[in-house]
Amino acid sequence: MKVEFIKCHGSGNDFIMIDEMNESYDFSESERKELSILLCDRHKGVGSDGILFVMPSEKAEARMRMFNSDGTEAEMCGNGLRCVARYVIENLGKSEVAIETEKAVLASSKVAEIYPGIDTFSVAIEPVSFEVASLPMSVSSEQLIDESIPELSDKRTFTALSVPNPHIISIMDEVEQDELLKVGKKANHLPEVFPNGVNVSFVKVIEKNKIFVQTYERGVGLTNACGTAMSASSLVSTILGPNEVDTPIVVINKGGLVNCVVEKSEERYSIQLRGNGTYVYQSAVDINFENKEFHVYEKDFFNKENERYQELETYAQSQVGGGLS
Ligand SMILES: N[C@@H](CCC[C@H](N)C(=O)O)C(=O)O
């Protein structure tokens, strides 16, 4: 079977995007999982953090399903949703669209550039819940706000929330990647506490409304950026730290930066996540699901789009001080 795809990224969190709206691939569920494991492999495959399937929807202009590189499906993907929003916006010639995800239909639109020359897309990150049952997470309390999780660390405190995929966030003075890797691995081998796994983020507050976030992603490992994690981190550093609601929070990550606006209405939080949805190249793969063999065609690069993004990346790294280890 020949499958066409676009290689894209949001903040360096990279994806293989497959259009099932205009193409009738008719994948089975096991084929979607297989595609993710084979193609996301950075040594033998195309290499990416996950696969975005853009599908028809009865409730919205399109539906997104997102699979991690280990073949598991996530409830939501913020950086991926910006890429899908761009694809649907450009395909339909609209400036805003609604995208169906597992737990919600989410508003997405093209907005003012976050950096000169970078087409920028805003996606709604909701529903948000601090109930531990929503992750799910097994602890004796209903919420876990800035508390220790002894199984993970004896020196850090964490806040648990779903947006709606599961996250735990720890705010600290300096983010150490090796420590994040250790804690992230532990958290994802602790089914008695996190039966479905969890995304783990370390956050440094650089100044008011400016934070640095790095994430160990469930189903992937350390990534350049995780959109839902940056949204969750913006919210937690607003509740526990100096950030403000209704104000763009600059979130620096290893792959660049985004803006997050935390909103509160009738005691419910939501976040607007704004950033790039960059196309790197398009290509196709011939895949035989029986024997798991595949051949990737030549890459057709999008003209200079990713080179422009690299300017933003360089700018973002200059903003973080000692945050990158
Ligand atoms: N990178 C994504 C989140 C992808 C899913 C995550 N690994 C999970 O399993 O919840 C993002 O940008 O939000």
Side-chain angles (χ1 to χ4, degrees), residues 13 15 49 66 68 72-80 165-167 199 217-220 223 225-229 273:
N13 189 197
F15 308 100
D49 294 326
M66 191 274 168
N68 290 311
T72 55
E73 183 172 8
E75 300 85 341
M76 175 48 182
C77 174
N79 290 327
N165 57 342
H167 291 267
N199 298 288
E217 280 196 42
R218 170 182 73 163
V220 190
T223 55
C226 172
T228 44
L273 169 66

Side-chain angles (χ1 to χ4, degrees), residues 101-157:
T101 60
E102 190 182 311
K103 296 266 168 77
V105 171
L106 298 171
S108 319
S109 55
K110 190 166 182 187
V111 294
E113 294 174 350
I114 48 160
Y115 188 83
I118 301 298
D119 283 352
T120 300
F121 300 86
S122 181
V123 296
I125 303 293
E126 58 189 29
V128 172
S129 173
F130 286 93
E131 301 301 310
V132 291
S134 71
L135 280 80
M137 177 183 185
S138 302
V139 277
S140 50
S141 53
E142 282 181 6
Q143 298 192 339
L144 185 111
I145 312 276
D146 200 22
E147 281 178 52
S148 70
I149 305 175
E151 294 90 334
L152 295 188
S153 170
D154 51 14
K155 61 175 182 178
R156 303 293 177 199
T157 56

